[in-house]
Amino acid sequence: MKMNALIPGFLIIFLLSITPLMAIENIEADGASPIFTSYIAPYERSNYFVDEGYHLVYYSDNEPLKLINESSGELSIAFKLGSVVVYNINDFYRKPVITCSYPDSFILEAEPFVGLEVVMKFAVYTSADAVCEISYKNKTKNDLMLYFIYGNNYQKVNCIDVKPEEGITISYKEPAKGVYFQQETLNGFEEMRYSLFCFNRRIYAWGGYPVYKKNMSAHEIVKKYEYLNGSLSGEIAEFALSFRLTKKNGH
């Protein structure tokens, strides 16, 4: 499936127009490999003089596979096959490995369950646009449920709109004073920010929560997300979306 997300204005789209410099290709970098996993838009497509970029967490056993943006939040992924959920990397049958890495993008492969192969591609196209594509091969007899979890302990956000066939829009404020290195207030700086998450699959269910708990066990995930509450009202620190993927192969 494709996930498009707009996060300090962020939109996420997969356009592999990738910077050729500093590329690492045809590798199998596991969690113990000395590889730098922070990704940022190339200079020619950068809108801000200080970009936060995204950091990929694929190496920490007690955390999920996730992307972190310092002030705009975390994007985590969990997998459910039948009644079993895999959330933390330590629970993967075959842990994630990076097979290709550029300064602005990566390709990652993993096997959360025996018989479920996943390829994740991610690219930061501009300061405001990034794209994530997740393709899978399900060789089991069970349907796959994928969970997309957004969390932000930096500040609360508001859900502006939810369209199951398209995606979700949230808003939050970025204070103008002290945004970059504690500077004075920036003239013309827009405090209100919007993040748009677009998907090429229908959102099956959703729920919002006032507190974001970063580290959860598979049991906690099942208990919390098995029946999403369907509410995204008020200020929230976390929301979860589920996608029911019945086809054996897809993206």
Side-chain angles (χ1 to χ4, degrees), residues 1 78 80 144-149 164 199 201-207 225-228 239-245:
M1 67 178 293
K80 182 180 180 183
L144 171 65
M145 185 76 80
L146 185 143
Y147 293 92
F148 174 87
I149 302 160
F199 304 91
R201 294 296 185 96
R202 189 182 193 280
I203 303 172
Y204 180 73
W206 57 84
Y225 300 136
E226 186 172 9
Y227 301 105
L228 294 173
F239 68 78
L241 312 174
S242 66
F243 298 85
R244 191 174 183 181
L245 307 177

Side-chain angles (χ1 to χ4, degrees), residues 52-85:
E52 291 180 347
Y54 294 85
H55 179 69
L56 169 67
V57 176
Y58 80 109
Y59 46 79
S60 179
D61 282 351
N62 296 318
E63 295 185 73
L65 180 61
K66 63 182 178 181
L67 290 157
I68 300 174
N69 181 277
E70 184 177 359
S71 62
S72 298
E74 302 183 357
L75 308 172
S76 305
I77 299 170
F79 305 87
K80 182 180 180 183
L81 208 57
S83 60
V84 181
V85 172

Side-chain angles (χ1 to χ4, degrees), residues 121-142:
K121 299 176 181 179
F122 179 79
V124 187
Y125 189 66
T126 71
S127 297
D129 306 294
V131 179
C132 181
E133 179 182 88
I134 298 175
S135 57
Y136 67 93
K137 291 183 179 179
N138 184 1
K139 301 176 183 178
T140 75
K141 296 180 179 180
N142 296 307

Side-chain angles (χ1 to χ4, degrees), residues 89-102:
I89 291 169
N90 193 49
D91 296 327
F92 279 53
Y93 171 68
R94 184 169 68 89
K95 295 180 182 180
V97 295
I98 293 175
T99 58
C100 180
S101 184
Y102 289 81

